[in-house]
């Protein structure tokens, strides 16, 4: 129980720190709005999966942002290690979430729910 609470607190801290680090990147190729949705940590705190979303009207901007973030992964990890109060800085893995596809799925689920409520009446 206490270990799970610690993992959640460290995960939340990493999420806010990575968000700050990304917002301070000076890479011109990082364009659009980048949101850090969630951070999943392994139980031993050695691996972190960072779930990101990039919002931009241009597909090419999203692709260049993804490439740049992947290249900046070691910089992000080093910057995180300076503020993180653990023995090891976790190895970072990015998972990119496409908001357009997520919204389409959400709309379909909303329609299905509406149809189910209508059928039950």
């Amino acid at each position: 129980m206490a270990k799970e609470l610690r993992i959640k607190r460290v995960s939340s801290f990493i999420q806010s720190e990575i968000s700050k680090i990304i917002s301070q990147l000076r890479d011109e190729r990082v364009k659009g709005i980048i949101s850090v949705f969630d951070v999943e940590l392994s139980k031993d705190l050695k691996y972190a999966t960072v779930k990101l979303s990039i919002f931009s009207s241009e597909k090419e901007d999203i692709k260049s942002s993804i490439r740049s973030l992947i290249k900046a992964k070691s910089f992000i990890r080093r910057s995180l290690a300076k503020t993180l109060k653990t023995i090891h800085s976790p190895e970072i893995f990015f998972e990119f979430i496409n908001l357009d596809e997520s919204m389409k799925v959400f709309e379909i689920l909303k329609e299905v729910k509406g149809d189910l409520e209508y059928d039950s009446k």
Side-chain angles (χ1 to χ4, degrees):
M1 176 72 178
K3 190 166 187 166
E4 291 173 9
L5 182 61
R6 180 169 187 250
I7 290 172
K8 286 182 183 180
R9 286 188 306 177
V10 172
S11 175
S12 177
F13 179 78
I14 290 174
Q15 180 178 352
S16 66
E17 285 300 310
I18 288 180
S19 182
K20 289 177 194 173
I21 293 167
I22 289 174
S23 69
Q24 295 171 355
L25 284 177
R26 294 187 184 124
D27 193 344
E28 301 161 353
R29 297 169 294 181
V30 177
K31 299 177 182 174
I33 300 169
I34 300 173
S35 300
V36 180
F37 273 99
D38 191 25
V39 174
E40 292 180 1
L41 279 173
S42 62
K43 291 184 180 190
D44 58 0
L45 304 177
K46 290 187 178 183
Y47 303 100
T49 302
V50 180
K51 296 182 180 183
L52 299 168
S53 155
I54 302 171
F55 180 75
S56 178
S57 58
E58 299 292 325
K59 293 245 184 218
E60 200 55 45
D61 290 346
I62 294 173
K63 289 179 183 179
S64 74
S65 296
I66 289 172
R67 281 189 224 112
S68 298
L69 286 171
I70 290 172
K71 286 182 181 180
K73 191 182 343 182
S74 62
F75 170 77
I76 293 169
R77 184 178 181 197
R78 280 192 315 271
S79 300
L80 179 65
K82 292 176 185 174
T83 59
L84 195 60
K85 305 264 193 282
T86 58
I87 296 172
H88 303 284
S89 177
E91 180 70 31
I92 297 173
F93 299 97
F94 289 130
E95 185 176 308
F96 296 96
I97 300 169
N98 188 341
L99 286 180
D100 293 333
E101 291 177 11
S102 299
M103 288 305 294
K104 288 177 187 175
V105 170
F106 177 73
E107 292 299 323
I108 291 171
L109 289 173
K110 206 163 131 180
E111 288 176 17
V112 169
K113 182 181 177 190
D115 290 344
L116 289 175
E117 288 176 357
Y118 180 74
D119 289 342
S120 65
K121 291 180 182 180

